[in-house]
Amino acid sequence: MQAPRVIGRLKVERKSSDLDSGKRDLVWLQMKNLYISIGALKYWMWSHTMTVQDYQDLIDRGWRRSGKYVYKPIMQKTCCPQYTIRCHALKFQPSKSHKKILKKMNRFISKGELQKGQEDCEPMDSVCEEAGPQELSKVHLKCTALTDIQKDATEFPSTTEVQKEAADATPTGSQTSQNDPVSVPAGRTASTAPKPGNGADPSRPLCRKAKELRKERRLQKEQMRQNGDGVSSTVSPTQPTPSQNSQSKTLEDFISESLPENSAHCLEVRLVRSNPPSPQFKASFDASYQVYKLYQMAIHKDPPDKPTESQFKRFLCDSPLEAEYAPDGPEVGYGSFHQQYWLDGRIVAVGVIDILPTCVSSVYLYYHPDFNSLSLGSYSALREIAFTKQLQKQSPKLSYYYLGFYIHSCPKMRYKGQYRPSDLLCPETYVWVSIERCIPLLDNSRYARLNQDPDLGDARAVRDLGRALVLYRRTVMPYAAYSRKRKGSSDEMEVQQYASLVGQDCAERILLYRS
């Protein structure tokens, strides 16, 4: 296999008070190797510290993090293009399959019912299989069957509908007598051909396949979600009445459903800051690590010596994001957190998340294998959507839930598109496009420019490379001044590539180290 081709070695350091007046809030990055490697086509950098706004801007340009490792797929060259996906948390309504998962959890808590042998169909692993550097090369993105999620229960006709379709196709009158039992001598079979029927009743509509009916109802449901007033543009024979709509339970209704006092179990969700580690995080670190170790061995088939404590820290505990608080921000602040699920006093699952200025970003989820049948991947995603809606009440700008990457070319990884309404990030214009408009494009081509306006470009494209900040001989200066002082061959192409990847705004906030 061809060795990785190094594009450039870039180092970015945080500006200290002895370098500048300190008016700018800059990040401290060390972009080790901006590289292209066969099979894992991506750019990557190692980040030591970063503001939440900088990371928000980066993920809105297709970047993601795994620990302090930040990477961006090369969409036009990778075999499986990964599109950043976000869900409109405030508009989200759980589907029938989502409600089944919520009800299953409530039944387990209240009655202790736990079905064995069922696998979690939606692991919320936002890190791809070859996301990290060499030491993280075994981080897996679990691809499991999605049959239960893709088949929405509301899409299936009721038993009455199926029987009615069968009755419409059943002959009546004299035709019925043809189906009566006929006495046949032993050793012989009836050879008399049935008499021809009268054909279909021309006054009734033609019989249609149940699959077609389900598809039609699914499209009508999507149209109803898109219309703000909840009225479909087409008439649906099974369209719910207003009274039914008003009685439908919300996501919060399921989560906050009152349980009997003598419930079999007690579930508590705790949010602990992982960077810098809070006292609660430190106190529960070992228990959390043990769950992670069991998860990696059971779900990802890692050998016992593979999920070490240091690997766990690098992968899921270390974060470049600084803890920040703002008057108009959430009370818990911004940064990196672990959302721990405590069942009867012990940790059974942990969702790793980032709270950013406009979103809650899912990083990873791990859980105890004994509770695999509770669909904790899906359940945690629903809880995180509800958590996003809760934070939005404190910070109006925070209204999206980022699920990581959506991989349409891998059918087993399309489950993230079931959390709707959702958008995909156009890899060329970096604008958000409704997933309903994206799917036909991705059905035709693995890679696609999702925004179809040919005149629209990257709003944050590099406009003035000379304004990009560099750190040269312990002095902060714009690239224009640096290029005049630099001796030797020009590095303009390398700096231009770096600036185009992070965008004009980040290029003016980040110090690019030059030696």
Side-chain angles (χ1 to χ4, degrees):
M1 179 179 293
Q2 182 178 346
R5 179 167 63 90
V6 176
I7 301 298
R9 291 184 179 273
L10 308 176
K11 185 178 180 181
V12 182
E13 295 185 355
R14 185 178 183 84
K15 179 175 63 177
S16 58
S17 58
D18 64 326
L19 298 176
D20 195 83
S21 61
K23 294 181 180 179
R24 300 176 185 272
D25 185 17
L26 303 176
V27 300
W28 178 19
L29 302 176
Q30 184 177 359
M31 298 183 68
K32 287 282 189 178
N33 294 321
L34 199 62
Y35 74 94
I36 301 176
S37 64
I38 303 301
L41 298 170
K42 66 175 70 68
Y43 302 105
W44 68 271
M45 59 188 178
W46 194 265
S47 169
H48 291 275
T49 183
M50 183 185 299
T51 65
V52 291
Q53 185 59 59
D54 286 324
Y55 185 57
Q56 178 74 69
D57 291 344
L58 286 178
I59 64 173
D60 285 338
R61 294 186 67 83
W63 293 82
R64 294 291 295 175
R65 80 169 185 89
S66 170
K68 292 189 174 184
Y69 170 81
V70 187
Y71 61 100
K72 175 182 170 65
I74 303 177
M75 302 285 284
Q76 291 178 303
K77 297 183 178 180
T78 183
C79 62
C80 298
Q82 304 165 51
Y83 297 86
T84 303
I85 182 172
R86 72 178 186 183
C87 171
H88 295 256
L90 301 184
K91 301 178 181 178
F92 173 80
Q93 290 294 332
S95 66
K96 278 293 183 68
S97 59
H98 293 149
K99 292 178 181 178
K100 285 183 178 179
I101 292 170
L102 295 168
K103 291 177 180 178
K104 178 168 60 175
M105 176 62 76
N106 289 341
R107 284 196 305 270
F108 169 71
I109 296 173
S110 61
K111 301 180 181 179
E113 297 179 2
L114 182 63
Q115 297 176 342
K116 297 291 185 179
Q118 293 185 358
E119 293 187 358
D120 187 359
C121 50
E122 295 186 21
M124 291 306 298
D125 300 359
S126 299
V127 185
C128 65
E129 183 174 348
E130 299 185 8
Q134 191 64 31
E135 61 187 13
L136 297 180
S137 61
K138 289 294 185 177
V139 176
H140 292 290
L141 180 61
K142 182 182 176 185
C143 296
T144 52
L146 299 177
T147 306
D148 294 338
I149 293 176
Q150 292 172 341
K151 293 182 179 179
D152 193 320
T154 59
E155 299 169 6
F156 289 88
S158 64
T159 305
T160 304
E161 292 173 335
V162 175
Q163 292 174 343
K164 183 176 183 300
E165 292 175 9
D168 292 342
T170 302
T172 60
S174 60
Q175 296 172 268
T176 308
S177 62
Q178 297 172 8
N179 297 326
D180 293 339
V182 179
S183 177
V184 181
R188 298 182 59 183
T189 59
S191 59
T192 306
K195 297 180 181 180
N198 296 328
D201 188 347
S203 64
R204 302 181 62 86
L206 295 176
C207 293
R208 299 171 61 189
K209 291 184 178 180
K211 182 177 180 181
E212 295 178 356
L213 295 173
R214 293 196 300 267
K215 184 176 181 181
E216 179 180 302
R217 280 193 286 270
R218 181 171 65 250
L219 294 175
Q220 291 167 350
K221 284 179 59 181
E222 292 175 355
Q223 292 172 355
M224 291 177 62
R225 288 197 190 101
Q226 295 173 11
N227 295 336
D229 56 0
V231 178
S232 176
S233 57
T234 58
V235 178
S236 171
T238 59
Q239 184 170 332
T241 62
S243 60
Q244 289 175 320
N245 285 331
S246 62
Q247 295 175 1
S248 60
K249 297 176 67 173
T250 65
L251 176 60
E252 291 79 5
D253 292 335
F254 283 100
I255 293 176
S256 61
E257 181 177 317
S258 60
L259 299 173
E261 295 182 359
N262 58 344
S263 295
H265 300 286
C266 177
L267 178 66
E268 180 185 1
V269 181
R270 303 178 188 175
L271 184 73
V272 297
R273 183 178 288 276
S274 57
N275 186 61
S278 65
Q280 296 84 356
F281 177 82
K282 294 178 180 178
S284 59
F285 175 83
D286 185 65
S288 182
Y289 164 63
Q290 294 302 325
V291 173
Y292 168 76
K293 187 175 182 180
L294 292 173
Y295 173 82
Q296 291 297 118
M297 291 189 299
I299 306 302
H300 294 298
K301 311 304 179 184
D302 284 356
D305 59 340
K306 178 65 170 60
T308 62
E309 186 173 305
S310 60
Q311 188 259 358
F312 171 65
K313 289 181 178 179
R314 288 195 310 269
F315 178 33
L316 297 176
C317 301
D318 292 346
S319 170
L321 303 185
E322 301 173 346
E324 299 181 30
Y325 296 87
D328 59 345
E331 294 179 3
V332 297
Y334 299 108
S336 298
F337 297 82
H338 281 198
Q339 201 165 42
Q340 301 173 339
Y341 295 79
W342 289 74
L343 182 70
D344 301 333
R346 65 166 178 153
I347 296 178
V348 296
V350 177
V352 182
I353 61 173
D354 294 329
I355 300 179
L356 303 176
T358 65
C359 74
V360 169
S361 176
S362 173
V363 179
Y364 201 74
L365 173 91
Y366 55 96
Y367 54 85
H368 198 292
D370 287 351
F371 302 94
N372 197 23
S373 62
L374 288 177
S375 303
L376 291 174
S378 306
Y379 181 76
S380 66
L382 296 170
R383 290 293 298 243
E384 289 168 8
I385 292 175
F387 180 58
T388 304
K389 299 172 74 172
Q390 178 184 342
L391 295 179
Q392 193 274 338
K393 297 177 181 179
Q394 306 169 10
S395 181
K397 296 187 300 181
L398 205 162
S399 59
Y400 296 101
Y401 175 61
Y402 283 46
L403 297 92
F405 287 130
Y406 172 81
I407 309 175
H408 190 77
S409 55
C410 177
K412 294 182 180 180
M413 290 307 304
R414 296 181 184 178
Y415 66 85
K416 294 183 181 181
Q418 300 296 324
Y419 297 86
R420 299 190 182 186
S422 56
D423 305 318
L424 300 184
L425 184 67
C426 177
E428 297 183 14
T429 63
Y430 299 111
V431 299
W432 296 97
V433 183
S434 170
I435 193 170
E436 287 83 3
R437 293 169 53 191
C438 299
I439 289 179
L441 299 174
L442 298 177
D443 284 339
N444 294 328
S445 174
R446 294 191 176 197
Y447 172 82
R449 174 190 166 111
L450 302 180
N451 183 275
Q452 296 296 288
D453 184 355
D455 299 325
L456 186 65
D458 179 8
R460 296 187 178 182
V462 179
R463 301 179 300 275
D464 186 357
L465 185 62
R467 293 175 59 87
L469 293 181
V470 299
L471 178 63
Y472 180 62
R473 295 182 178 179
R474 297 187 59 80
T475 303
V476 178
M477 63 185 71
Y479 179 75
Y482 156 78
S483 60
R484 291 193 294 267
K485 294 184 178 183
R486 175 182 170 84
K487 296 180 181 179
S489 58
S490 173
D491 61 353
E492 182 175 351
M493 290 183 62
E494 183 178 311
V495 177
Q496 178 73 35
Q497 183 188 42
Y498 151 78
S500 65
L501 290 171
V502 301
Q504 181 74 35
D505 294 345
C506 284
E508 294 182 19
R509 294 197 303 259
I510 294 177
L511 295 181
L512 177 62
Y513 177 80
R514 300 281 85 184
S515 59

